[in-house]
Amino acid sequence: MASSLTKDSTGTPGSEKTFFGHPRGLATLFMTEMWERFSFYGMKALLPLYLIAPSGLHMNAATATAIYSVYMSMVYLLAMPGGWFADRFWGPRKTVAIGASIVILGHITLALPNSGSFFAGLGLVAIGSGLLKANISTMVGHLYQGPEDPRRDSGFTVFYIGINLGAFLAPLTIGTVGENVNWHFGFALAAVGMALGLAQFLLGTRHLSSQSNIVTKPATAQEKAKALRTSLIWAAVAAVFYVIVVATGHYTLNWVLVPLTLIGLIIPIAVLYRMKTDKELTGEEQSKLSGYVWFFVVAAIFWMIYDQNGSTLSIFGESSTTNSLLGFDFPTSWYQSLNPIFIMALAPVVASAWIWLNKRGKEPSTAVKFASSLALIGISFVVFLIPLIDTAANGGKVSPMWLVAIYFIQTVGELCLSPVGLSVTTKMAPAKYSAQMMGVWFLAVTAGDSVTGLLSTAGVDLNTTGAVAIEAALAVVAGIGIWMYRKKVKALMGSVN
């Protein structure tokens, strides 16, 4: 991406040149995030396929789905402590650099041909992603002169394009190398992608705002010592526990997966409960928070089904789809490029549709948009049932266009929920928790994926016709439910639409 050579007349901190009219630092963060998403989505596209492949770990579909779901839930759960580390210890800029370095180390570990190191690599990538994801968006905000800067919203839009560009390119490159050449070469390519992102970040840090270096609430020496002591104690307890489990011959993979899924459910519930029982919140804030709980639950159900596009749908694509179109054969991982390309194509259309309806006083309320997202995600699984039933009854493989249609419907549902949810989160956040509420929104992803992981570890195979039918019915019924209660939810929201 080229930047113009004109001076930034607004005096934006940390920038002299502009990047298509935006602070030059946006180019640095755009490229960093693009490469980080390239590595993340590339590995995500390979993960379930590697887990089930005879040349990989050769697991069954239920176990692969459980591992994938737990991994995804941990990535979003760790975004909260990632923000905390930046606020208390390192500042956003240093935290992003450390996070990117840990991601690189994680992908290198994944590239080692050993099952033990593979799971260690997953953990490292999750930790690094949590540190990076929580702070790079914050640094985009630092480039602008407060919320009133007219370029701010379009700046985040440009940044969002970088996310989807990386997500689109990753399966086409990393997926192809992993599936057609060598799984571990694919994981190594993901490490290269993140290394390019880190190099871009370090070279371009001079263009970032000095605010990105600030530790907003520095921890005291006593607090640092306490945090280190507490971390070491919990690590020692976990180590002793698992040594005992392994030594007594009781260890199975569920000894790791089940606790992580429970953590992914307990923490979101505990965070919302702590907020709801906070006596310092005003009556209006409590009302809005009650309304927000409805949206949180809807989002959790949505992500529970939606995130199976990388597990259940991917596994179906591998086993039951021809993966051939107009005489061209392609790897299963390429299906993961459908969502980002649909996002880039449809997001401007959906955004324009909301504006068009708003001018005519007909824009749906947030509750109706959320209900629509659930209906759409449910419909996508109703469509999924058609090829699933066909292959179960007749064997053989179906056209890849079934998965294209499913991903398309899910993307429209995502656009009715994800950007709307980000917006309503900032509008309904209590003043006391304004900085934390975005992390709470991401916890809905954690909760949804944790439910998927818990069901899979309990022996429920989500790749079957019965499971898909139940999930489709759950989403549609839940969508109808929130639509029926839309007036009650609107009353709780107060002046927020």
Side-chain angles (χ1 to χ4, degrees):
M1 294 288 181
S3 62
S4 71
L5 298 178
T6 58
K7 291 288 184 178
D8 183 357
S9 60
T10 62
T12 302
S15 178
E16 294 181 351
K17 299 178 181 179
T18 63
F19 175 66
F20 297 121
H22 290 275
R24 180 63 180 83
L26 184 62
T28 297
L29 299 177
F30 176 98
M31 295 298 293
T32 303
E33 180 70 353
M34 186 193 77
W35 283 115
E36 189 276 332
R37 292 291 89 182
F38 174 86
S39 70
F40 176 81
Y41 279 96
M43 191 278 291
K44 174 187 169 185
L46 286 183
L47 179 56
L49 303 176
Y50 174 73
L51 293 174
I52 64 172
S55 58
L57 297 186
H58 205 190
M59 296 178 172
N60 59 49
T63 303
T65 300
I67 293 171
Y68 175 89
S69 300
V70 169
Y71 166 72
M72 291 295 291
S73 71
M74 290 299 104
V75 167
Y76 287 94
L77 177 64
L78 291 169
M80 286 199 77
W84 179 77
F85 268 99
D87 288 342
R88 303 304 308 275
F89 296 96
W90 299 327
R93 191 182 301 188
K94 186 176 181 180
T95 305
V96 166
I98 292 172
S101 302
I102 294 174
V103 169
I104 294 170
L105 179 61
H107 284 304
I108 292 172
T109 307
L110 287 171
L112 300 175
N114 180 280
S115 60
S117 62
F118 178 82
F119 290 108
L122 280 183
L124 288 170
V125 173
I127 292 169
S129 296
L131 291 171
L132 191 148
K133 185 175 181 64
N135 294 289
I136 196 163
S137 295
T138 301
M139 294 170 67
V140 174
H142 289 164
L143 295 172
Y144 300 94
Q145 297 176 323
E148 68 280 356
D149 192 319
R151 301 171 301 168
R152 186 183 182 91
D153 286 351
S154 62
F156 273 98
T157 301
V158 173
F159 182 71
Y160 193 62
I161 291 172
I163 293 173
N164 284 284
L165 185 59
F168 168 70
L169 295 173
L172 304 181
T173 50
I174 294 174
T176 302
V177 171
E179 288 193 70
N180 294 345
V181 181
N182 181 282
W183 296 109
H184 299 287
F185 286 175
F187 295 129
L189 184 56
V192 172
M194 187 67 262
L196 289 172
L198 178 59
Q200 163 74 23
F201 181 76
L202 295 176
L203 289 172
T205 50
R206 66 185 184 278
H207 299 299
L208 302 177
S209 167
S210 58
Q211 189 179 352
S212 298
N213 268 330
I214 297 174
V215 181
T216 55
K217 192 179 178 182
T220 64
Q222 292 82 358
E223 288 173 327
K224 290 179 180 179
K226 182 181 178 181
L228 178 61
R229 185 168 58 251
T230 303
S231 299
L232 291 175
I233 290 173
W234 279 108
V237 169
V240 171
F241 174 79
Y242 282 105
V243 166
I244 293 172
V245 171
V246 171
T248 55
H250 291 91
Y251 178 80
T252 65
L253 193 56
N254 279 356
W255 279 101
V256 175
L257 296 179
V258 172
L260 290 178
T261 57
L262 291 175
I263 289 171
L265 285 172
I266 291 170
I267 289 180
I269 293 171
V271 169
L272 287 172
Y273 177 79
R274 176 173 61 85
M275 290 183 177
K276 278 297 297 172
T277 54
D278 190 336
K279 303 298 184 184
E280 294 183 11
L281 301 187
T282 66
E284 181 182 359
E285 287 177 327
Q286 282 288 358
S287 177
K288 288 182 179 179
L289 198 54
S290 296
Y292 186 77
V293 171
W294 282 79
F295 296 128
F296 185 93
V297 173
V298 169
I301 296 172
F302 178 89
W303 295 118
M304 178 188 74
I305 299 174
Y306 176 91
D307 271 351
Q308 289 181 59
N309 63 26
S311 54
T312 302
L313 289 177
S314 186
I315 291 169
F316 179 82
E318 174 68 12
S319 63
S320 303
T321 308
T322 60
N323 291 350
S324 179
L325 196 61
L326 301 176
F328 176 76
D329 297 331
F330 55 88
T332 304
S333 54
W334 281 25
Y335 289 115
Q336 298 304 306
S337 287
L338 289 172
N339 173 253
I341 196 66
F342 284 151
I343 286 284
M344 288 188 284
L346 295 176
V349 177
V350 173
S352 297
W354 296 146
I355 294 172
W356 185 83
L357 289 169
N358 180 268
K359 289 180 178 178
R360 288 156 180 78
K362 297 180 179 180
E363 183 182 4
S365 66
T366 299
V368 172
K369 291 176 183 177
F370 269 60
S372 300
S373 72
L374 278 183
L376 286 165
I377 202 70
I379 290 169
S380 77
F381 263 34
V382 171
V383 174
F384 184 27
L385 280 172
I386 300 173
L388 200 59
I389 291 171
D390 180 57
T391 55
N394 305 315
K397 296 190 175 185
V398 299
S399 167
M401 292 308 295
W402 284 109
L403 288 184
V404 173
I406 293 166
Y407 279 102
F408 179 85
I409 297 169
Q410 290 190 346
T411 300
V412 178
E414 179 187 0
L415 290 171
C416 289
L417 179 134
S418 187
V420 178
L422 290 169
S423 177
V424 81
T425 296
T426 59
K427 293 176 182 177
M428 297 177 68
K432 181 178 179 180
Y433 298 111
S434 59
Q436 300 178 37
M437 282 300 285
M438 201 56 71
V440 174
W441 170 249
F442 287 127
L443 287 181
V445 184
T446 296
D449 284 327
S450 293
V451 171
T452 305
L454 193 61
L455 290 172
S456 298
T457 55
V460 178
D461 188 353
L462 297 175
N463 302 274
T464 62
T465 304
V468 171
I470 291 172
E471 289 182 271
L474 170 65
V476 172
V477 170
I480 293 172
I482 193 169
W483 182 83
M484 291 176 63
Y485 281 89
R486 65 191 184 282
K487 292 183 179 179
K488 177 180 179 180
V489 176
K490 179 66 176 68
L492 291 170
M493 295 170 67
S495 58
V496 178
N497 184 27

